[in-house]
Amino acid sequence: MIDLDMIFTKWCPRLLSILRIVTAFLFMQHGAQKLFGVLVVPSKTAVELFSLMGLAGVLEFFGGLLILLGLFTRPVAFILSGQMAVAYFMAHAPKGFWPVVNKGELAALYCFLFLYLLAAGGGPWSLDYLRKKRS
C-alpha cells in the first residue's frame, strides 16, 4: 500500500521551492511591464524610473529575481509582502471593501505568499539553502 504521508513529507520542501519559483516568475512580469514596457497592450509604455510606480517596478522585477533564485529569500519576501500590502491599501482598497470588486485579490495573494516565504524560507532548491549548507 502507498504511504501518502511519506510521499507528502518528502515532497513538501520541494513544493515550497516550486511555489517560490512560480510566484517569482509571475511577479517579475509585473515589474517587466512597469520598467521595460513589455508584456503590455501597445498603448502603454514603461513608467518613469524615479516615481512610485518606478520603485514598484524595481522591487517587483529585481526582488522577484532574488526570490526566483532563492537568494536572501526571507528579507526580500518581507519587503515584497510590505510592498503588496501598501499597493493593496493605496490602489485597491479605496475602490471598495471586497478584493474581487476592487481588483486587489492579486495584491492580497502576493502579500500573503511573500509573508509565507518570509516564514518558510526558500526551500531546498534555493541559493540560500546552498549558502547555508556550505557554512
Side-chain angles (χ1 to χ4, degrees):
M1 185 156 180
I2 298 174
D3 184 3
L4 289 177
D5 282 340
M6 184 184 75
I7 293 170
F8 293 147
T9 301
K10 181 178 178 180
W11 273 92
C12 189
R14 295 173 185 163
L15 288 174
L16 167 62
S17 291
I18 292 169
L19 176 66
R20 185 197 83 244
I21 292 165
V22 169
T23 299
F25 177 72
L26 295 172
F27 193 67
M28 286 176 66
Q29 293 176 48
H30 295 279
Q33 284 180 322
K34 290 176 182 77
L35 291 180
F36 311 120
V38 296
L39 308 171
V40 295
V41 293
S43 63
K44 292 195 176 189
T45 60
V47 298
E48 187 176 324
L49 186 60
F50 294 105
S51 67
L52 193 57
M53 289 299 279
L55 174 61
V58 168
L59 289 173
E60 290 165 4
F61 188 79
F62 293 104
L65 181 61
L66 288 171
I67 294 288
L68 181 77
L69 298 171
L71 184 61
F72 308 116
T73 302
R74 285 188 164 108
V76 173
F78 175 75
I79 292 166
L80 296 181
S81 178
Q83 179 207 0
M84 288 293 94
V86 168
Y88 181 82
F89 287 109
M90 282 183 70
H92 300 286
K95 297 176 185 171
F97 178 76
W98 298 106
V100 73
V101 173
N102 67 30
K103 300 192 183 331
E105 64 272 1
L106 198 53
L109 184 60
Y110 275 128
C111 178
F112 283 95
L113 269 167
F114 289 129
L115 194 61
Y116 174 69
L117 290 176
L118 168 64
W125 298 337
S126 69
L127 293 178
D128 288 337
Y129 183 82
L130 291 175
R131 288 176 48 230
K132 184 178 177 184
K133 199 174 173 181
R134 282 187 181 171
S135 59

